């Protein structure tokens, strides 16, 4: 549980870097969820909560992209290196290898 708690906070710091409002909101939400469930004794419920927390960490790490308003009508996206993937061109008729 502690390992996952720390992982969520590390992911939060990486995903929301330089965004103090998002960092603080995510910190509060993580702490609140773990605090609300700290007295849970059912192994089944604990495993379910750990699965949810693990899924949240994966979604944060793989799906969230920061954006910055540069002008009134322009936004610049700031993707992290782990979000960038090689782009494979689309083929109508795949070739056999």
């Amino acid at each position: 549980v502690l390992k996952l708690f720390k992982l969520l906070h590390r992911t939060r710091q990486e995903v929301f870097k330089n965004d103090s409002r998002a960092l603080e909101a995510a910190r509060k939400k993580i702490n609140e969820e773990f605090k609300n469930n700290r007295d849970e004794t059912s192994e089944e419920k604990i495993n379910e909560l750990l699965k949810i927390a693990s899924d949240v960490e994966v979604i944060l790490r793989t799906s969230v992209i920061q954006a910055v308003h540069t002008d009134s009508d322009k936004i610049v996206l700031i993707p992290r290196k782990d979000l960038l993937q090689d782009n494979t061109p689309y083929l109508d008729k795949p070739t056999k290898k």
Side-chain angles (χ1 to χ4, degrees):
V1 174
L2 184 58
K3 183 177 180 181
L4 186 55
F5 179 77
K6 289 180 179 181
L7 178 61
L8 276 166
H9 278 289
R10 280 193 297 271
T11 301
R12 166 190 71 89
Q13 289 174 336
E14 182 180 325
V15 169
F16 301 118
K17 187 182 346 180
N18 300 325
D19 185 348
S20 59
R21 288 178 58 192
L23 280 167
E24 182 62 20
R27 184 188 69 78
K28 284 181 180 179
K29 185 65 174 173
I30 292 167
N31 291 345
E32 175 185 315
E33 290 297 323
F34 275 81
K35 185 178 181 181
N36 289 343
N37 295 296
R38 77 173 159 209
D39 296 328
E40 185 62 52
T41 57
S42 166
E43 186 174 338
E44 183 178 307
K45 180 70 174 172
I46 291 170
N47 288 334
E48 180 184 329
L49 291 167
L50 289 174
K51 173 71 171 121
I52 291 169
S54 179
D55 291 348
V56 167
E57 191 277 329
V58 169
I59 290 169
L60 281 174
R61 185 171 25 88
T62 60
S63 300
V64 176
I65 297 176
Q66 285 184 306
V68 177
H69 287 276
T70 56
D71 287 328
S72 61
D73 61 344
K74 291 186 182 180
I75 296 175
V76 175
L77 298 179
I78 308 171
R80 295 178 313 282
K81 287 183 180 182
D82 55 335
L83 288 176
L84 301 176
Q85 299 177 0
D86 288 337
N87 191 4
T88 305
Y90 173 78
L91 299 174
D92 285 330
K93 297 179 182 178
T95 57
K96 293 182 179 179
K97 290 185 178 181

